[in-house]
Amino acid sequence: MIQLATRVTQVTPSLTLAITAKAKEMKAQGIDVCSFSSGEPDFDTPQHIKEAASSALAQGKTKYGPVAGEPGLRQAIAHKLNQDNQLNYSADHIIVTNGGKHSLFNLMLALIDKGDEVIIPAPYWLSYPEMVKLAEGTPVIVNTTAETDYKITPEQLRQAITSNTKLLVLNSPSNPTGMVYNHEEIKALAEVVVDHNLWVVSDEIYEKILYDGTEHISIGSLGEEIFKRTIISNGFAKSYSMTGWRIGYLAGPGDLIKATSTIQSHSTSNVCTFAQYGAIAALESPDSPQCLQKMLDAFTQRRQVILERIRSIPKLSCPTPMGAFYVFIDISQTGLNSLEFCDGLLNKQQVAAIPGKAFGADNCIRLSYATDLASIEKGMDRIEKFVTTL
Ligand SMILES: *Cc1c(COP(=O)(O)O)cnc(C)c1O
């Protein structure tokens, strides 16, 4: 028996990856599986982005680069944050990381000490609590329900704060619920953060995947005081269909960014140099907006279809997601918990879905509609059959 470090034994392996692996195994055995488990756009990376990276490769951008990122990319991100989000960061307040996940991990290591409490509204992205634990902090989970559209209220936030609270994790648009906080709601949360002198990290990875005219509000844009307490985490994976590229970034106060850069200098060093040139093209090319629009048009259509299908099944319900590409379905009326539901669904109907338990909500399941319409229709036929026979 290997005596593993305590920090590892306290962390739960990703349930999402486990289900996805099981579905893949079934597919490999020739079983016709419908998968709603994917957490990534099903589109290829736009051609102009690939070309920018391959031209950088041809030009020999194959060496170590600055730890915090290529200057041109940091500059482009600063410009983007200013234009899209009304956030005034200079390039030295930005670090390029190996994906949005790595941004958040670096942040936890740089900010969280043993005993520090980090408030995480549930349902949450499953990595947040585990990252906090790896940094030896204490995740404080605040449960929200469909009645408040799975959004944390300022009262709930206030009640969760103790003298050890250091950080609030905010994710809008949300994975897994698809909920988007409006201006009022963000403003009210910002006031609590400022009142209690906390930090807030805003995970804005889905900021561009929005429906029905919904607006994305970046919490740091609401005033000088909240700006000083905000760290932005974002990346290229979702908006530009670049999940495998592994490029994300953090923006925040200079000293904090410097600290994450020190950590990065002893762990991963710089992000793949030529890949960063693809990210510059993603931000700067006039071809990017129309690629995003194409993806959004497809997601919009699928969202409508999947919502209609879910709402025609008596024991299922869900609020209308305003962003990202997930529906978070309440299954309590089926009498099953989320693991039982997803296991049964996979074994009896060969449909892969993610149990809400992974996101801190055992009465729900997550379906991703980052898959083609025909698969959505076929998968929903099977879900309907499964629920009807319960
Ligand atoms: C996908 C995702 C990320 C980051 O993904 P990377 O591939 O590491 O860039 C961060 N937060 C949430 C909520 C996500 O769903």
Side-chain angles (χ1 to χ4, degrees):
M1 257 314 250
I2 304 175
Q3 184 81 45
L4 292 172
T6 318
R7 86 175 62 81
V8 176
T9 60
Q10 287 169 350
V11 168
T12 329
S14 166
L15 205 63
T16 318
L17 297 184
I19 295 265
T20 311
K22 186 168 176 192
K24 263 194 191 141
E25 201 182 286
M26 288 170 71
K27 264 185 198 164
Q29 290 167 10
I31 301 170
D32 173 27
V33 178
C34 290
S35 184
F36 289 107
S37 61
S38 170
E40 60 182 343
D42 53 320
F43 302 92
D44 196 3
T45 302
Q47 195 57 29
H48 67 279
I49 298 176
K50 288 188 191 175
E51 277 164 14
S54 88
S55 137
L57 189 54
Q59 286 163 28
K61 302 283 186 196
T62 57
K63 303 293 186 189
Y64 288 135
V67 168
E70 290 296 298
L73 180 53
R74 292 172 85 193
Q75 196 58 55
I77 293 168
H79 183 71
K80 176 256 178 253
L81 289 171
N82 188 289
Q83 293 295 301
D84 292 359
N85 310 112
Q86 291 76 53
L87 299 166
N88 289 316
Y89 290 112
S90 56
D92 58 345
H93 287 233
I94 288 153
I95 181 172
V96 180
T97 61
N98 287 282
K101 190 179 270 184
H102 185 222
S103 289
L104 293 159
F105 188 76
N106 270 350
L107 171 69
M108 295 306 171
L109 285 191
L111 194 66
I112 301 305
D113 256 331
K114 202 173 186 143
D116 284 346
E117 293 177 0
V118 178
I119 297 178
I120 303 173
Y124 46 74
W125 187 47
L126 67 181
S127 293
Y128 299 141
E130 307 311 309
M131 287 178 182
V132 171
K133 285 191 261 173
L134 284 169
E136 297 189 79
T138 307
V140 174
I141 308 298
V142 177
N143 289 308
T144 68
T145 62
E147 281 68 56
T148 59
D149 276 345
Y150 296 115
K151 293 175 190 174
I152 186 175
T153 64
E155 293 73 34
Q156 278 184 307
L157 176 57
R158 231 179 239 115
Q159 276 167 16
I161 294 170
T162 73
S163 55
N164 292 322
T165 307
K166 182 105 185 230
L167 175 70
L168 164 68
V169 179
L170 201 62
N171 175 216
S172 176
S174 153
N175 175 6
T177 66
M179 293 301 126
V180 180
Y181 287 81
N182 66 29
H183 188 277
E184 301 282 277
E185 291 160 344
I186 297 261
K187 187 162 173 274
L189 294 176
E191 280 166 8
V192 180
V193 169
V194 170
D195 276 354
H196 292 268
N197 205 12
L198 307 179
W199 290 95
V200 57
V201 58
S202 183
D203 180 352
E204 307 192 346
I205 195 97
Y206 293 101
E207 64 165 335
K208 296 204 182 291
I209 304 179
L210 297 167
Y211 307 101
D212 302 345
T214 303
E215 224 192 325
H216 166 74
I217 309 289
S218 190
I219 189 166
S221 69
L222 297 185
E224 202 49 43
E225 286 304 308
I226 186 68
F227 179 70
K228 282 193 271 183
R229 292 167 174 79
T230 299
I231 305 112
I232 303 290
S233 177
N234 205 332
F236 294 83
K238 311 290 160 59
S239 302
Y240 303 98
S241 211
M242 291 170 69
T243 44
W245 291 60
R246 312 310 306 135
I247 314 176
Y249 55 90
L250 274 181
D255 289 349
L256 180 58
I257 294 302
K258 234 180 258 161
T260 60
S261 181
T262 303
I263 292 169
Q264 197 155 293
S265 76
H266 291 297
S267 49
T268 58
S269 295
N270 64 283
V271 172
C272 173
T273 304
F274 54 86
Q276 293 185 58
Y277 287 83
I280 294 174
L283 291 178
E284 292 185 341
S285 167
D287 295 337
S288 292
Q290 80 189 45
C291 295
L292 172 67
Q293 193 54 50
K294 250 195 216 152
M295 193 162 77
L296 282 180
D297 290 344
F299 284 152
T300 302
Q301 192 188 12
R302 297 164 181 183
R303 166 177 169 269
Q304 191 187 337
V305 169
I306 203 167
L307 281 174
E308 276 169 17
R309 293 296 306 265
I310 292 163
R311 288 174 178 159
S312 72
I313 303 173
K315 290 174 184 163
L316 305 182
S317 66
C318 66
T320 304
M322 301 313 284
F325 38 72
Y326 309 104
V327 273
F328 205 56
I329 306 174
D330 191 320
I331 52 150
S332 359
Q333 286 187 54
T334 65
L336 302 181
N337 69 33
S338 66
L339 282 173
E340 293 163 347
F341 189 99
C342 290
D343 262 350
L345 187 60
L346 187 57
N347 294 328
K348 292 193 182 137
Q349 292 292 340
Q350 296 76 51
V351 173
I354 307 293
K357 189 169 197 281
F359 312 102
D362 203 14
N363 60 325
C364 293
I365 63 162
R366 189 193 77 179
L367 301 187
S368 157
Y369 48 92
T371 183
D372 62 281
L373 266 182
S375 305
I376 290 174
E377 293 281 14
K378 187 157 108 182
M380 287 309 302
D381 287 344
R382 295 182 184 184
I383 290 178
E384 188 166 9
K385 230 184 253 165
F386 176 72
V387 175
T388 317
T389 54
L390 287 175

PDB file of all heavy atoms in Angstrom, residues 32 64 111 235:
ATOM      1  N   ASP A  32     -24.927   1.431 -29.075  1.00  0.00           N
ATOM      2  CA  ASP A  32     -25.345   2.731 -29.590  1.00  0.00           C
ATOM      3  C   ASP A  32     -25.714   3.657 -28.421  1.00  0.00           C
ATOM      4  O   ASP A  32     -26.842   3.663 -27.958  1.00  0.00           O
ATOM      5  CB  ASP A  32     -26.534   2.504 -30.540  1.00  0.00           C
ATOM      6  CG  ASP A  32     -27.161   3.808 -30.996  1.00  0.00           C
ATOM      7  OD1 ASP A  32     -26.456   4.828 -31.027  1.00  0.00           O
ATOM      8  OD2 ASP A  32     -28.363   3.791 -31.325  1.00  0.00           O
ATOM      9  N   TYR A  64      10.774  28.271 -25.159  1.00  0.00           N
ATOM     10  CA  TYR A  64      10.219  28.812 -23.924  1.00  0.00           C
ATOM     11  C   TYR A  64       9.854  30.272 -24.142  1.00  0.00           C
ATOM     12  O   TYR A  64      10.557  31.002 -24.854  1.00  0.00           O
ATOM     13  CB  TYR A  64      11.272  28.798 -22.804  1.00  0.00           C
ATOM     14  CG  TYR A  64      11.620  27.442 -22.243  1.00  0.00           C
ATOM     15  CD1 TYR A  64      12.959  27.105 -22.022  1.00  0.00           C
ATOM     16  CD2 TYR A  64      10.637  26.522 -21.883  1.00  0.00           C
ATOM     17  CE1 TYR A  64      13.315  25.881 -21.472  1.00  0.00           C
ATOM     18  CE2 TYR A  64      10.986  25.300 -21.325  1.00  0.00           C
ATOM     19  CZ  TYR A  64      12.321  24.980 -21.119  1.00  0.00           C
ATOM     20  OH  TYR A  64      12.671  23.789 -20.567  1.00  0.00           O
ATOM     21  N   LEU A 111      -3.824  32.473  -3.130  1.00  0.00           N
ATOM     22  CA  LEU A 111      -4.657  33.285  -2.233  1.00  0.00           C
ATOM     23  C   LEU A 111      -5.084  32.576  -0.951  1.00  0.00           C
ATOM     24  O   LEU A 111      -5.281  33.221   0.075  1.00  0.00           O
ATOM     25  CB  LEU A 111      -5.905  33.749  -3.009  1.00  0.00           C
ATOM     26  CG  LEU A 111      -6.733  34.863  -2.393  1.00  0.00           C
ATOM     27  CD1 LEU A 111      -5.949  36.169  -2.355  1.00  0.00           C
ATOM     28  CD2 LEU A 111      -8.032  35.066  -3.176  1.00  0.00           C
ATOM     29  N   GLY A 235     -11.119  32.054 -20.376  1.00  0.00           N
ATOM     30  CA  GLY A 235     -10.287  31.233 -21.250  1.00  0.00           C
ATOM     31  C   GLY A 235     -10.898  31.116 -22.631  1.00  0.00           C
ATOM     32  O   GLY A 235     -11.945  31.718 -22.916  1.00  0.00           O
TER      33      GLY A 235
END
